[in-house]
């Protein structure tokens, strides 16, 4: 029976988890939390927002880290109560919402996925309405990792978070989530082993972030594409070119029936620029898994970017000065601007200069700075600017060299190329350690995927049918079975759960 007043409601809200704490078996925990959820669903919002004895309301009594379910329901009831001041940044309700996102019980919340998402959207909407998207960035990032510390299962909240980061220019904060590689999408409950409960111990987050849990909203192929494109834009802003290229290639190689989407075309344009910035060249072809029609259409619509790349690469190979590339940039200025890529194109100009300086290392042992300026600088007679520019490249490790100062005139100084093998070996060792750790992590996810497949009902059924076919063949019977009996249902990995 639904509670009718606060005296009957409050004891039920505080009944779970038990106090003092006692360990509960998974089945008992599951039963108790579902019972509490039913009470909350049956309780009218007017009672959830009512006052309590001695003043205040339920949010002043409940602890979000302990009483996660009732706190969330009461919070949502207040957010829907129509109180104008309740839904503003800095208000008591706002702070209660942020407290919840930082401290909720990650197991209890698995039972209230839809309500959890409603709170995420409430926080997002309040932040955007107050023109302060930055206010929601860290709380939502914390919530994603509190729900799933690995951050490896894609959810609709990932898209909300990364879009807020772009709006707020919170690029560094975004990497707390973006640096977590995505390995999985929410599982369909019919593919999970029977008997698993949300509160059970799960080896991977996709075992409890499922279509039934509603911890992620349903999504189409567009949401992952948006996430990786937004992520690439953030990495480009941070000048992490290689990570940006990886995210852009996720967009470009996404499954497609026949034609490219607008998102993939935009990704291709940025992919060309990112490769110029990272490697000084554009690969002759897209990744092999790119749909041929997507590749064809993206390249057709990205001709201006390919032309820019061709001028860049030809100029580097022939040791031309920057004037031809400058002209190409000027001709396409309106195009770069309308595509919101002008900043990247201007960085490509600077990358051209860096590449021409770096290429000198493979040809010369030493070179006067005045000669370096003549070959690479937009203002060859400004030797001081050339000295500062080359010194910055040395400091950042882009070239192995030193500047010999033979007087007060920078034009008489000498750029002497050399090597520092100790630093190079140490760097290679660190990179190797990172790669080994990353490979081990991928292998762990592969093993878990194999385990899930081996427990999948359809897979077990297929193995049984295969064994029956073998037995029938050995007995001299007709082992033929229909395609429908053995075919797995075709699923799009990027479709919604």
């Amino acid at each position: 029976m639904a509670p009718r007043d606060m005296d009957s409601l409050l004891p039920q809200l505080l009944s779970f988890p038990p106090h003092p704490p006692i360990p509960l078996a998974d089945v008992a925990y599951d039963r108790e939390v579902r019972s509490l959820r039913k009470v909350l669903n049956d309780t009218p919002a007017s009672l959830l927002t009512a006052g309590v004895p001695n003043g205040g309301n339920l949010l002043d009594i409940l602890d979000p880290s302990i009483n996660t379910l009732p706190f969330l329901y009461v919070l949502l009831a207040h957010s829907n109560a129509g109180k104008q001041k309740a839904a503003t940044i800095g208000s008591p309700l706002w702070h209660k919402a942020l407290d919840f996102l930082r401290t909720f019980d990650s197991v209890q919340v698995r039972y209230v996925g839809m309500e959890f998402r409603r709170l995420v959207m409430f926080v997002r909407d309040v932040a955007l309405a107050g023109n302060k998207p930055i206010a929601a960035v860290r709380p939502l990032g914390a919530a994603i990792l509190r729900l799933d510390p690995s951050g490896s299962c894609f959810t609709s909240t990932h898209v909300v978070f990364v879009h807020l980061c772009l709006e707020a220019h919170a690029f560094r904060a975004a990497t707390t989530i973006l640096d977590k590689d995505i390995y999985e999408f929410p599982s369909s409950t019919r593919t999970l082993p029977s008997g698993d409960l949300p509160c059970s111990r799960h080896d991977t987050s996709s075992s409890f972030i499922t279509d039934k849990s509603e911890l992620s909203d349903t999504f189409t192929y567009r949401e992952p594409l948006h996430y990786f494109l937004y992520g690439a834009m953030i990495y480009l802003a941070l000048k992490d070119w290689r990570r940006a290229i990886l995210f852009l290639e996720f967009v470009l190689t996404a499954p497609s029936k026949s034609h490219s989407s607008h998102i993939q075309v935009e990704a291709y344009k940025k992919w060309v620029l990112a490769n110029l910035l990272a490697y000084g060249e554009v690969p002759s072809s897209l990744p092999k898994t790119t749909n041929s029609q997507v590749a064809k259409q993206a390249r057709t619509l990205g001709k201006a970017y390919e032309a820019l790349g061709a001028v860049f690469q030809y100029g580097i190979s022939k040791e031309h000065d920057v004037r031809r590339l400058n002209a190409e940039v000027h001709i396409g200025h309106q195009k770069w601007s309308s595509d919101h890529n002008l900043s990247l194109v201007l960085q490509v100009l600077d990358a051209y200069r860096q590449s021409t300086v770096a290429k000198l290392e493979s040809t010369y042992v030493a070179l006067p700075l005045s000669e370096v300026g003549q070959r690479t600088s937009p203002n060859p007679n400004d030797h001081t600017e050339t000295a500062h520019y080359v010194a910055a490249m040395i400091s950042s490790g882009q070239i192995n060299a030193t500047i010999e100062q033979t007087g007060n005139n920078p034009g008489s100084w000498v750029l002497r190329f050399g090597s520092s093998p100790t630093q190079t070996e140490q760097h290679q060792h660190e990179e190797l350690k990172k790669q080994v750790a990353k490979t081990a992590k991928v292998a762990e996810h592969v093993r878990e995927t194999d385990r899930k497949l081996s427990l999948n009902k359809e897979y077990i059924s297929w193995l049984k049918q295969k064994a029956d076919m073998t037995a029938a063949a050995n007995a001299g019977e007709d082992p033929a079975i229909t395609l429908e009996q053995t075919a797995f249902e075709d699923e799009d990995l990027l479709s919604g759960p």
Side-chain angles (χ1 to χ4, degrees):
M1 179 181 295
R4 297 181 176 180
D5 53 40
M6 190 60 69
D7 289 337
S8 61
L9 173 64
L10 191 54
Q12 295 186 65
L13 299 188
L14 296 175
S15 65
F16 181 84
H19 186 78
I22 58 173
L24 293 175
D26 288 349
V27 173
Y29 186 103
D30 184 78
R31 181 178 61 251
E32 292 295 323
V33 76
R34 290 182 189 277
S35 176
L36 176 59
R37 186 179 65 183
K38 186 178 187 309
V39 170
L40 289 165
N41 284 329
D42 292 341
T43 303
S46 58
L47 183 53
L48 292 174
T49 58
V52 296
N54 302 320
N57 59 56
L58 286 170
L59 292 177
D60 300 317
I61 297 175
L62 300 169
D63 183 339
S65 67
I66 299 173
N67 315 112
T68 294
L69 264 66
F71 194 97
L72 177 56
Y73 272 77
V74 173
L75 195 58
L76 291 173
H78 277 283
S79 73
N80 293 329
K83 300 175 183 178
Q84 187 175 0
K85 292 184 179 180
T88 58
I89 295 175
S91 67
L93 186 62
W94 169 262
H95 287 297
K96 293 291 186 183
L98 299 196
D99 286 344
F100 178 89
L101 291 175
R102 294 189 185 105
T103 63
F104 65 83
D105 184 286
S106 60
V107 176
Q108 290 185 47
V109 85
R110 297 175 188 176
Y111 289 83
V112 284
M114 182 175 66
E115 290 74 18
F116 173 76
R117 288 191 290 105
R118 283 176 57 197
L119 184 63
V120 166
M121 300 310 289
F122 166 74
V123 170
R124 183 204 68 170
D125 292 345
V126 171
L128 292 177
N131 294 317
K132 290 185 177 179
I134 186 65
V137 167
R138 293 194 182 278
L140 291 187
I144 290 173
L145 294 181
R146 191 163 187 83
L147 175 66
D148 172 18
S150 73
S152 62
C153 184
F154 180 85
T155 69
S156 54
T157 306
H158 282 70
V159 185
V160 173
F161 170 79
V162 75
H163 184 257
L164 282 171
C165 290
L166 271 181
E167 289 283 328
H169 289 186
F171 304 134
R172 189 63 61 187
T175 60
T176 59
I177 302 300
L178 292 173
D179 283 352
K180 306 283 188 181
D181 292 329
I182 298 292
Y183 291 98
E184 300 171 290
F185 291 90
S187 302
S188 170
T189 48
R190 68 176 182 77
T191 66
L192 296 177
S194 59
D196 275 6
L197 299 172
C199 61
S200 301
R201 182 186 179 279
H202 296 272
D203 292 328
T204 62
S205 50
S206 66
S207 295
F208 62 83
I209 301 177
T210 65
D211 53 352
K212 190 175 181 180
S213 76
E214 297 186 286
L215 288 165
S216 175
D217 199 358
T218 55
F219 53 81
T220 66
Y221 73 94
R222 291 184 180 85
E223 281 73 18
L225 295 191
H226 277 127
Y227 174 76
F228 288 117
L229 180 60
Y230 293 159
M233 292 166 66
I234 288 171
Y235 281 122
L236 289 170
L238 294 171
K239 298 187 178 182
D240 189 343
W241 313 127
R242 295 186 181 187
R243 187 74 174 169
I245 290 169
L246 177 65
F247 272 49
L248 293 169
E249 290 182 350
F250 286 153
V251 177
L252 291 168
T253 58
S256 178
K257 291 183 178 179
S258 59
H259 57 84
S260 62
S261 68
H262 175 73
I263 303 171
Q264 289 174 306
V265 172
E266 292 306 307
Y268 178 71
K269 296 173 182 178
K270 289 177 169 57
W271 181 78
V272 170
L273 298 176
N275 272 284
L276 289 175
L277 290 165
Y279 307 112
E281 62 181 8
V282 181
S284 58
S285 62
L286 285 160
K288 292 181 179 179
T289 52
T290 307
N291 179 285
S292 59
Q293 288 300 314
V294 169
K296 181 178 180 181
Q297 293 176 28
R299 297 191 69 170
T300 298
L301 296 173
K303 283 291 185 185
Y305 292 84
E306 290 189 349
L308 182 71
V311 172
F312 184 105
Q313 293 173 239
Y314 184 79
I316 293 295
S317 65
K318 299 299 181 181
E319 298 187 8
H320 288 176
D321 61 34
V322 76
R323 286 176 294 180
R324 178 69 184 90
L325 185 62
N326 262 324
E328 191 71 26
V329 170
H330 178 73
I331 291 171
H333 188 279
Q334 185 176 351
K335 173 68 175 174
W336 323 132
S337 183
S338 63
D339 287 345
H340 304 288
N341 287 329
L342 180 58
S343 174
L344 283 176
V345 171
L346 294 179
Q347 290 183 71
V348 166
L349 269 177
D350 188 60
Y352 184 90
R353 184 181 180 187
Q354 292 177 13
S355 295
T356 55
V357 173
K359 191 173 182 182
L360 297 175
E361 187 176 3
S362 62
T363 307
Y364 300 95
V365 174
L367 202 64
L369 272 184
S370 58
E371 180 67 17
V372 174
Q374 290 293 327
R375 291 170 176 268
T376 66
S377 175
N379 188 358
N381 296 320
D382 189 344
H383 303 312
T384 301
E385 189 278 337
T386 299
H388 285 309
Y389 190 87
V390 171
M393 289 187 66
I394 294 172
S395 177
S396 64
Q398 293 172 280
I399 55 174
N400 272 329
T402 56
I403 296 177
E404 295 181 357
Q405 301 182 16
T406 55
N408 294 326
N409 178 17
S412 64
W413 297 353
V414 175
L415 177 64
R416 189 171 297 280
F417 296 104
S419 61
S420 51
T422 302
Q423 181 182 7
T424 302
E425 289 173 8
Q426 182 179 359
H427 176 72
Q428 289 176 345
H429 180 66
E430 291 299 321
E431 287 298 314
L432 182 60
K433 285 173 62 178
K434 290 179 183 178
Q435 190 60 44
V436 168
K438 190 171 184 178
T439 302
K441 189 175 181 180
V442 172
E444 179 183 341
H445 282 275
V446 171
R447 284 194 296 270
E448 176 58 20
T449 300
D450 287 343
R451 187 189 74 84
K452 285 182 180 179
L453 178 60
S454 67
L455 296 175
N456 182 282
K457 291 180 180 179
E458 283 105 342
Y459 182 71
I460 293 172
S461 176
W462 180 80
L463 285 178
K464 184 177 182 301
Q465 290 171 348
K466 185 178 179 182
D468 291 343
M469 289 173 63
T470 303
N474 291 338
E477 300 173 2
D478 184 3
I481 59 175
T482 64
L483 178 63
E484 287 75 18
Q485 288 177 291
T486 57
F488 287 100
E489 182 177 344
D490 184 26
E491 287 187 287
D492 184 351
L493 285 176
L494 295 182
S495 65

